[in-house]
Amino acid sequence: MNKIIEFKNVSFSYSEEEEAVLQNLDLDFYEGQFTCVLGHNGSGKSTMAKLINALYIPTSGTVISYGLDTADEKNEIPIRRNIGMVFQNPDNQIVATIVEDDVAFGPENLGLPRDEIRKRVDEALKAVNMYEYRYHEPHRLSGGQKQRIAIAGVIAMKTNCIVLDEPTAMLDPKGRREVIETLLKLKNEYGISVILVTHFMDEAVKADRVVVMNDGKVCLDGTPAQVFSNASHLESMGLTVPKPLELAYQLQKNGVRINGEPLTAAEFVDGFKNYVENRG
Amino acid sequence: MSVLSVKNLIYGYSKGTPFEKGALKGVSVDFEKGEIVALIGHTGSGKSTLLQHLNGLLKPDSGDVLFEGESIHKSKQTLRNCRFNVGLCFQYPEQQLFDSTVYKDVAFGPANMGLPAEEIDKRVKDSVAYVGLSEDYLEKSPFDLSGGEKRRVAIAGVLSMEPKVLILDEPTAGLDPVGKNNLLKLIKDYNNKTGNTVIFVSHNMDDVALVADKVIVMNDGEIAMEGTVEEVYSQGEKLAGLGLDVPEITSVFIELKNAGFDLGKTEYTVDGAKESIIKFLSEGGLL
C-alpha cells in the first residue's frame, strides 16, 4: 500500500517552557485506509492530526505529506489541497448563510470556472446525503448535518485524504451514526483515505486500522481485533474495550469460550451460536 | 412532597411565525428529594426546553412548575428563590466562564445570593476542592486551564450556591473516558453526601445505567418512558424505536433473541449479561 503521510522521529511542544506533547513519534498512514486514532485527553492525538496538514510544524523531526515536507512554507498550499480537515465543533466551521454557498467556498477560492464549481458542489452534497438541503440555512440544521456539510466542503476540494479531529464529540447518537456512515462511504466508494481521531470505541471498531496514542507516542497499532485484544493495556491507559468483547472475556473466565474476539453485537451472536452448536 | 414538580407544561418556540414549533406538549413529572434522574431523548425531543423551565428561564405557555410545593412564577420572590435553589449547568458550561480568576468566577453565584464574605470564601474553597482541583487553582485565570478543568470550575460555580436541585445538561459531552468517569463519580458523590437531587441529560446509555436511580425518556415534546434504569432498559426494542442508542449489551441480547436464544429479560450490564448467559447455558446442559 502507498504511504501518504510519514512522521519521522517527530517531537512537538507548544512553547519552549512546556513539556513536549509528542516525543520521537514515528507513524505512517496509507492510501485508501480508514485509520482511527484513539487516546485519552492530552495523549497528543489532536496535535498529531494538526501536524499532518502543516497547521503545526514539528519542533524536531519531519512530517512528509504526499511526498512534501510540511516544514517548507511553499508546500503548505499543495499539502492542504490534498488533505482536508474537519474539527470538533460544527458551529465553528461554517462560513456561509446557505448550505451550497458554504460548500462552494473552497472551490471558489481555487478560482475554478463556475460550471466546475457547480458540478463539484452537487457531487459533494450528494456524497454526504445532503443534496436536498442545498438551499437551507446551516444554522437550522442538526449537528450531524452540519458536520456532513463541513465534510462536503472538504470533498468539493477533491482532496485525497480527510483528517477529522473528534468530529462526533458534540453530536447525539443519530448524528454520530450519520457522520461515520458518510466516512465509510467516502472510503469505499470514492477511495478517500480517512484519518479519524476519536474517543469512541464503537467508531474504532469500524476502521481498517486502529492506532492508540499515549503520552505522545504510539503504543498500539493494528486491526481493531488486534488492538482490542489488549484489554488490560487499554484500560491502564484510561480506554475501554467494546462491551461485547468485555462480555466474551468475562464468560471465558467462567469457562465459556466465545471464539473470534467479538467487537460487535452481531459478532458476539455468531460466536455464541458456534459455541452452542459445538456443545449441542 | 416532591422537591420539584412539573404540571402539564406546554411551550412552543417562535410563536406566530412560520417556524412555530411545539417543544413541550403537556409534560408532567415529579422529582423527589435525593434522586438522581437521567433525562434522555434524541436532539429536538424537548429535553433542554424542559430543563430551562425548571428554574424559570422559560415561562410556560400553560402549566406550572412547583418548587417545594409553590409555583415558581407566583412572584418575583419565588422566582428568585427558585433560581438560587435549582442550579442549572448548561451544555459546555466552560464557555460561560467570564471572570479573571477561578476564585472570582466561582464566587459570583454566592455573592449574588448576598452571603457574608466568610461564607462565600468557605463555599468557593469547598466547591473547588469538591470538583477535584487544588487551592493552587484559585488565583489562576480560568482561561488558562484545560478543557476538562474548565468544565470542573464551571460546575463548581453552580455547586457553590448549594442548590437543592442540581441540573446538568450533557455534563460528559466531549470528555475522554477517564474525564467522563470522574465526572460521573462526582455526580454520585455529590448526591450521596448532600442528599440533594441531581437531574442530568445524557446520550450515553451506559453512563446513565451507572449512576441514575430513575430514567425519563423524552420524544417529540412528551414523556415517552419513565421508570428505573431496569424498567426502561429492559424495553430495548422500544428505545431503539425512539431513535435512541440502546446500551451495547442490550443490543447483544436483542440480537440473541432474534437468533432464537430466549434468555428472558434483557440485560444491560456486562455482569448481568454474564450471569444470565451462564444460567441459560447451565440449564440447557451446555456449560
Side-chain angles (χ1 to χ4, degrees), chain B residues 259-275:
Chain B
F261 301 104
D262 193 355
L263 285 86
K265 87 175 176 17
T266 310
E267 296 290 341
Y268 53 89
T269 63
V270 171
D271 284 344
K274 185 192 78 182
E275 298 299 328

Side-chain angles (χ1 to χ4, degrees), chain A residues 59-101:
Chain A
T59 311
S60 69
T62 27
V63 177
I64 307 289
S65 294
Y66 285 92
L68 302 170
D69 186 341
T70 61
D72 189 340
E73 216 172 297
K74 70 175 194 301
N75 290 336
E76 214 171 71
I77 289 175
I79 287 172
R80 291 190 189 153
R81 281 188 187 172
N82 270 317
I83 306 169
M85 258 193 109
V86 173
F87 298 96
Q88 190 183 88
N89 190 335
D91 292 319
N92 289 352
Q93 356 182 22
I94 288 176
V95 294
T97 52
I98 298 292
V99 165
E100 63 171 15
D101 289 353

Side-chain angles (χ1 to χ4, degrees), chain A residues 112-179:
Chain A
L112 297 171
R114 189 182 182 284
D115 293 348
E116 174 67 15
I117 296 176
R118 181 75 259 171
K119 203 173 124 227
R120 285 193 183 193
V121 169
D122 289 347
E123 273 175 14
L125 283 169
K126 282 175 189 162
V128 300
N129 270 333
M130 286 296 288
Y131 186 65
E132 70 258 49
Y133 289 91
R134 63 193 179 282
Y135 303 130
H136 282 234
E137 297 173 356
H139 71 271
R140 291 195 187 272
L141 301 177
S142 73
Q145 289 173 329
K146 284 181 198 167
Q147 285 300 56
R148 285 188 285 150
I149 298 300
I151 294 170
V154 170
I155 301 169
M157 301 284 285
K158 293 232 188 265
T159 53
N160 297 307
C161 172
I162 173 164
V163 180
L164 306 101
D165 190 5
E166 296 190 43
T168 59
M170 298 174 84
L171 306 183
D172 68 355
K174 183 160 170 278
R176 282 178 51 203
R177 277 195 297 269
E178 289 169 3
V179 169

Side-chain angles (χ1 to χ4, degrees), chain A residues 5-25:
Chain A
I5 294 149
E6 219 177 323
F7 280 69
K8 288 197 275 198
N9 203 22
V10 172
S11 297
F12 181 85
S13 45
Y14 283 92
S15 68
E16 275 175 31
E17 305 91 67
E18 276 174 72
E19 224 179 298
V21 183
L22 298 181
Q23 293 170 14
N24 309 98
L25 178 70

Side-chain angles (χ1 to χ4, degrees), chain B residues 40 202-210 232-233 239 244-247:
Chain B
I40 54 185
S202 179
H203 284 309
N204 187 317
M205 305 294 275
D206 292 313
D207 291 359
V208 169
L210 225 49
V232 171
Y233 283 24
L239 284 171
L244 294 170
D245 260 3
V246 297

